Amino acid sequence: MRSGFLLILGALTALPVNAEQAVSAAPTLSAELQAMESQAQGGRIARSAFTTGVVEREPVDSITELTTAIDRVYYYTELLGMAGQSITHRWSYNDAVIAEVTFDVGGPRWRVWSSKNLVPGWSGDWKVSVVNSAGEVLGGNRFAYSAAQ
């Protein structure tokens, strides 16, 4: 019983003793809470796009339609606040999953891309979903692939 009283007393002595100390401690606490909130939310997708190429870690364009004259497409994703996590690009063709590419996120801002070689007979609706390790879909995009005219 007595040890419980000493524990509470020790916790109380760690609190700021005047208003000036309380104010100076607030920014640190706020920054720590923001960091924990960002980590708890699991980060976010800052940008994502289908593109015909990636140069110096940046997409060269952003597409929503593609003809069979192009035989390769990339999916680019910029992630923020997801260091230490894994994400997957889940490629779907006409709503059927055909490929998954998993990445380990190595920093607070991480840019990744995957690609798919396309065959002219695969015209239709393409989609990539960005999925976290818990299986939650964080976002995604679609493009239409059609015969060249």
Side-chain angles (χ1 to χ4, degrees):
M1 187 87 151
R2 191 175 235 181
S3 63
F5 175 74
L6 291 175
L7 181 62
I8 291 170
L9 182 60
L12 290 176
T13 59
L15 296 174
V17 292
N18 63 39
E20 185 177 305
Q21 284 179 324
V23 170
S24 67
T28 303
L29 181 59
S30 176
E32 288 174 8
L33 287 175
Q34 287 174 352
M36 289 187 325
E37 180 181 341
S38 175
Q39 189 174 25
Q41 292 174 352
R44 67 181 177 91
I45 298 172
R47 293 184 293 159
S48 61
F50 286 105
T51 182
T52 56
V54 177
V55 175
E56 295 182 12
R57 299 185 177 271
E58 289 294 324
V60 297
D61 54 13
S62 180
I63 59 170
T64 56
E65 296 179 347
L66 197 59
T67 68
T68 54
I70 304 293
D71 63 356
R72 185 174 194 145
V73 65
Y74 297 82
Y75 189 69
Y76 174 92
T77 311
E78 180 179 356
L79 305 162
L80 297 178
M82 297 183 70
Q85 299 181 45
S86 294
I87 63 107
T88 298
H89 283 175
R90 182 178 294 153
W91 289 79
S92 300
Y93 167 62
N94 290 334
D95 293 324
V97 175
I98 60 164
E100 291 187 335
V101 181
T102 300
F103 304 93
D104 292 327
V105 181
R109 176 182 179 228
W110 206 250
R111 296 170 288 177
V112 297
W113 55 93
S114 58
S115 67
K116 187 72 184 140
N117 291 326
L118 301 171
V119 176
W122 290 350
S123 60
D125 184 44
W126 284 85
K127 173 181 162 183
V128 172
S129 300
V130 180
V131 182
N132 67 14
S133 58
E136 300 167 326
V137 176
L138 304 176
N141 296 78
R142 295 180 176 268
F143 78 94
Y145 190 55
S146 59
Q149 296 180 8

